[in-house]
Amino acid sequence: MAASAADLHATLDARLVEATRGIRLLDSVSWPASIELGFIAAWKAGRAKLPDVTYPRLDFGDTRAKLDAISGAADPAHPIGDYIRRTAESWRVATDLLEAMGTPAITAHSAKLYGLPGDRVPGATLTNVDAARHFIAIADEYNSGAPLDEIETQIPAELLRIELKQRLDGFFGVDAIRVEVDPDLIAKAAAGATRIRLRSATTFSNYDRDQLLAHEAFVHSLTALNGRAQPNLKSLARSSPRITATQEGLAVFAELMSGSIDIARMKRISLRIVGIDMAIRGADFIEVFRFFMDAGQSDTDSFTSAQRVFRGAPVGGGAAFTKDAVYLRGLLSVHTFFRWALKNQRMALCRNLFAGKCALHDVIALEPYFDNGYIAQPRYLPPWVQHAHGLAGMLAFSLFANRIRLDRVEAEDLVLGL
């Protein structure tokens, strides 16, 4: 890459980071904790009504002008120029979404960023909502039988904070990532580059703890810290909307590969996709909330799930915030990518996914710039990636197992003879 092109795109990337600094998409669409308290109290008293949520009126006209200028200056024929243009465009759509908060128009903008439940799963004829219903059915079948007994644990938020802090200090270094208990957090946990927050008014299971480490700490925080260490493309430290499917898919894949995902987690992810589909088809907040309740979630968890569906959207039905549609699609895409990389002897691409906030497209298109050092190799790698031979073994088995058709297996085939 010529020095002039490198300097140009590094300058444009720096301008991109500066231009998007004031865009806080998820924070802007989230609801205050007081809405949950009021709704749950009214629900228990038999007086439930639709939540009253107001959003600020925002104007990102100046930001869009800056993004358009950056896109216009980037060379679309150059891999890094194309990366900058793609990233700038996703931020531009995010500004459209934020200006449309509280209106039905949010759905179309959200669909551009995250897709829809009815979108096809890559490499299959099934849609996201088809896949979701499949996992829900499996979870329900498992729970209706005689599942293996497990020792239930309830870890208070403060105790979990101490435990996570010790683990993270040992992995990233002392105080690289803060762990805080937050009374205003609606989700059970949230992660940034240097801070993980835990909801105070809840307890956590061992699965919750392990999922937090695998998903939040060793993917979301880890890729942010690696992105901050990049010498040229500083935007790799920021979660641009276009990388959401890969980032969330990678995080759930991390749960799978580290053994921290459980059947209840798969069901929760899948139920949210069905909830989004219901909302788009006209269901209001109470109907979606009741759907989660009927699926076996607590009232608090049902509110949290329904709130995720209606973030930034009218609560009367016909609109939704579709981010949670990316989880299964992202998981299946990342899983396929890892298996493809093993089959084609390109496992280095999988390591590159952790160098910052990347999309699958990026690690392929920008491979020469990883190779020549323009994009730095990741400083941190999750434990399951560090164990490369074990990872390759699991992927190799997965590749072969895909060739076995379960619908053709008879019980007699599974009985080992003497």
Side-chain angles (χ1 to χ4, degrees), residues 67-68 71 84-94 113:
L67 292 172
D68 290 342
S71 293
I84 290 173
R85 288 168 62 95
R86 287 171 179 265
T87 305
E89 175 57 24
S90 77
W91 282 117
R92 194 184 198 286
V93 176
L113 296 178

Side-chain angles (χ1 to χ4, degrees), residues 44-100:
K44 290 180 176 179
R47 298 182 284 101
K49 62 178 181 179
L50 293 176
D52 183 12
V53 187
T54 59
Y55 300 99
R57 308 316 302 171
L58 303 175
D59 183 353
F60 287 98
D62 290 344
T63 299
R64 277 193 293 273
K66 293 176 182 177
L67 292 172
D68 290 342
I70 293 167
S71 293
D75 180 0
H78 193 286
I80 296 180
D82 181 59
Y83 159 82
I84 290 173
R85 288 168 62 95
R86 287 171 179 265
T87 305
E89 175 57 24
S90 77
W91 282 117
R92 194 184 198 286
V93 176
T95 66
D96 293 333
L97 185 154
L98 291 175
E99 288 183 352

Side-chain angles (χ1 to χ4, degrees), residues 113-115 244-245 248-249 273 322-331:
L113 296 178
Y114 309 120
T244 303
E248 298 296 356
I273 296 173
T322 65
K323 175 179 177 286
D324 282 353
V326 307
Y327 283 79
L328 282 184
R329 175 167 58 88
L331 170 61

Side-chain angles (χ1 to χ4, degrees), residues 121-293:
V121 172
T125 58
L126 298 175
T127 65
N128 292 321
V129 75
D130 291 332
R133 291 194 173 106
H134 168 79
F135 286 112
I136 292 169
I138 289 177
D140 288 342
E141 288 174 8
Y142 174 80
N143 289 325
S144 66
L148 296 174
D149 290 334
E150 292 195 27
I151 299 174
E152 294 290 336
T153 55
Q154 297 296 328
I155 307 171
E158 178 58 25
L159 187 61
L160 181 60
R161 184 194 70 79
I162 295 171
E163 184 176 352
L164 291 180
K165 185 70 167 59
Q166 292 173 341
R167 292 283 300 273
L168 298 179
D169 282 354
F171 186 88
F172 293 105
V174 177
D175 294 332
I177 297 178
R178 305 190 311 276
V179 184
E180 301 174 355
V181 174
D182 187 345
D184 297 321
L185 190 64
I186 290 182
K188 292 191 78 169
T194 59
R195 182 177 65 155
I196 292 177
R197 291 178 293 156
L198 307 174
R199 178 175 176 167
S200 61
T202 191
T203 58
F204 298 81
S205 68
N206 285 335
Y207 278 117
D208 290 331
R209 177 198 60 209
D210 295 343
Q211 287 160 13
L212 277 170
L213 284 168
H215 185 117
E216 303 291 355
F218 295 148
V219 173
H220 291 328
S221 295
L222 180 146
T223 52
L225 288 173
N226 284 337
R228 288 186 173 192
Q230 287 296 330
N232 296 302
L233 299 181
K234 297 297 185 181
S235 62
L236 288 172
R238 293 216 61 199
S239 295
S240 65
R242 63 178 285 270
I243 60 89
T244 303
T246 296
Q247 184 77 181
E248 298 296 356
L250 185 61
V252 179
F253 183 68
E255 296 178 41
L256 182 67
M257 299 306 286
S258 63
S260 60
I261 201 165
D262 63 321
I263 193 69
R265 167 77 164 153
M266 289 299 299
K267 183 176 180 179
R268 284 196 302 273
I269 292 171
S270 301
L271 286 171
R272 291 170 188 167
I273 296 173
V274 177
I276 293 170
D277 190 57
M278 290 176 60
I280 291 173
R281 294 175 182 274
D284 65 21
F285 181 90
I286 293 177
E287 291 172 304
V288 174
F289 170 82
R290 188 178 291 114
F291 162 74
F292 288 117
M293 289 280 290

Side-chain angles (χ1 to χ4, degrees), residues 312-367:
V315 296
F321 184 70
T322 65
K323 175 179 177 286
D324 282 353
V326 307
Y327 283 79
L328 282 184
R329 175 167 58 88
L331 170 61
L332 294 169
S333 297
V334 168
H335 188 250
T336 300
F337 178 81
F338 269 75
R339 291 182 297 139
W340 173 87
L342 176 70
K343 184 176 181 180
N344 291 277
Q345 299 181 354
R346 301 183 69 183
M347 289 298 291
L349 292 175
C350 298
R351 290 173 59 93
N352 293 345
L353 274 174
F354 297 93
K357 302 291 186 178
C358 304
L360 294 177
H361 173 89
D362 299 332
V363 296
I364 296 174
L366 300 177
E367 185 177 14

